[in-house]
Amino acid sequence: MDGNGRWAKQRFMPRVAGHRQGVESLRRCVRACSERGVKVLTVFAFSSENWNRPNEEVSGLMDLLAGALAREVKPLHDSGVRICFIGDRSRMSDKVRSGIDQAELSTRSNTRIILNVCFNYGGRWDIAQAASKLVAQGQAVTEESLAGAMALAHVPDPDLVIRTGGEYRISNFLLWQSAYSELHFTDALWPDFDETSLDQAIADFAGRERRFGKTSEQLSSPAQQHPPALNTQAAA
Ligand code: FPP
């Protein structure tokens, strides 16, 4: 959700006012995704590196989260949204941590859409914590076991990753899970990202050919879609 700071600067407002507007944009985006049948929306709200921002901005973001938890959870719950928080909770205040626990608990049975809020999250952190968990359990580290130990194991890998704010970077977001995601970059600043921007991103996605390592010909010819398994070939 990049571009809140610039949105505020353009209006001679403090950066935290941009983040406040970002919450409005997030509310609109959740509704629009839900209306379009999107089943999972994962947003990057605070990265592990965001602690390095000025104290005023960090505490502003924490206050915003606490306020959003107090105000937004009930209407989200009423709209069938299941809320999950993804990230390292150890540095959060008791108030924020209990708000997060409460939000997850009260919405856990909702099925209309899952909203994953990545907060104090980093893609590298997730890979490292998943590997540590497996090692502590004495399990082998394989692609499958690692994927199952990740903080986002409850949802499929994203089909589409959208970056707002005109930057062409992944910035430590969903490093593992975005291996085969389609990427959409837009100049829209996050507070300006509206239904039209979302529809443009979805239309862009719909025009992509997803090959997952195969050739175009394999995708268009059903006979070639399921080649014999490797061991069958070896036996032949
Ligand atoms: C990046 O824009 C945005 C953030 C670091 C914070 C995003 C947070 C929200 C949208 C609201 C908080 C979310 C919840 C769930 C309460 P930037 O500040 O880097 O913008 P810039 O690149 O224009 O400076």
Side-chain angles (χ1 to χ4, degrees):
M1 298 186 286
D2 198 14
N4 297 341
R6 278 164 287 163
W7 184 93
K9 195 172 173 195
Q10 286 168 359
R11 289 160 179 77
F12 306 100
M13 292 160 92
R15 292 179 60 83
V16 74
H19 297 314
R20 207 171 296 124
Q21 197 60 34
V23 177
E24 297 298 318
S25 188
L26 178 55
R27 187 190 297 129
R28 177 173 60 198
C29 189
V30 174
R31 192 177 54 236
C33 283
S34 176
E35 285 168 1
R36 284 154 182 75
V38 173
K39 297 309 286 181
V40 183
L41 173 66
T42 300
V43 294
F44 204 177
F46 191 88
S47 75
S48 324
E49 292 76 30
N50 285 153
W51 291 106
N52 299 322
R53 293 196 172 196
N55 287 343
E56 186 189 329
E57 185 171 346
V58 172
S59 61
L61 278 163
M62 294 300 154
D63 290 348
L64 211 55
L65 175 60
L69 285 166
R71 273 191 321 275
E72 310 284 348
V73 172
K74 171 86 171 61
L76 287 170
H77 177 48
D78 292 344
S79 313
V81 181
R82 177 180 163 200
I83 306 171
C84 302
F85 276 83
I86 311 299
D88 182 358
R89 301 184 190 189
S90 61
R91 264 182 93 171
M92 295 179 194
S93 68
D94 290 346
K95 184 181 171 194
V96 166
R97 226 182 350 245
S98 77
I100 285 175
D101 290 346
Q102 192 52 42
E104 289 186 334
L105 195 66
S106 62
T107 64
R108 70 189 185 287
S109 306
N110 293 340
T111 55
R112 189 172 167 92
I113 183 171
I114 296 176
L115 171 63
N116 293 312
V117 180
C118 294
F119 205 94
N120 196 18
Y121 166 90
R124 289 178 177 177
W125 163 83
D126 196 11
I127 295 168
Q129 71 78 27
S132 307
K133 205 155 54 182
L134 293 175
V135 169
Q137 292 167 354
Q139 288 192 52
V141 177
T142 64
E143 285 196 25
E144 286 71 27
S145 66
L146 203 55
M150 307 278 287
L152 280 158
H154 60 292
V155 289
D157 288 346
D159 291 311
L160 172 63
V161 175
I162 301 172
R163 171 134 195 180
T164 58
E167 310 285 0
Y168 296 85
R169 285 190 291 272
I170 293 297
S171 298
N172 204 13
F173 187 49
L174 305 181
L175 291 184
W176 175 270
Q177 296 85 351
S178 64
Y180 280 98
S181 304
E182 298 300 324
L183 308 180
H184 175 84
F185 297 94
T186 169
D187 288 338
L189 304 176
W190 174 250
D192 295 325
F193 188 87
D194 59 11
E195 290 87 347
T196 306
S197 326
L198 178 65
D199 286 336
Q200 280 164 358
I202 293 173
D204 184 16
F205 170 79
R208 305 278 179 89
E209 181 183 68
R210 307 190 74 195
R211 291 197 293 276
F212 298 100
K214 294 182 180 177
T215 66
S216 283
E217 291 70 29
Q218 282 177 299
L219 297 179
S220 54
S221 156
Q224 292 188 53
Q225 273 186 20
H226 303 291
L230 272 180
N231 55 359
T232 316
Q233 286 178 352

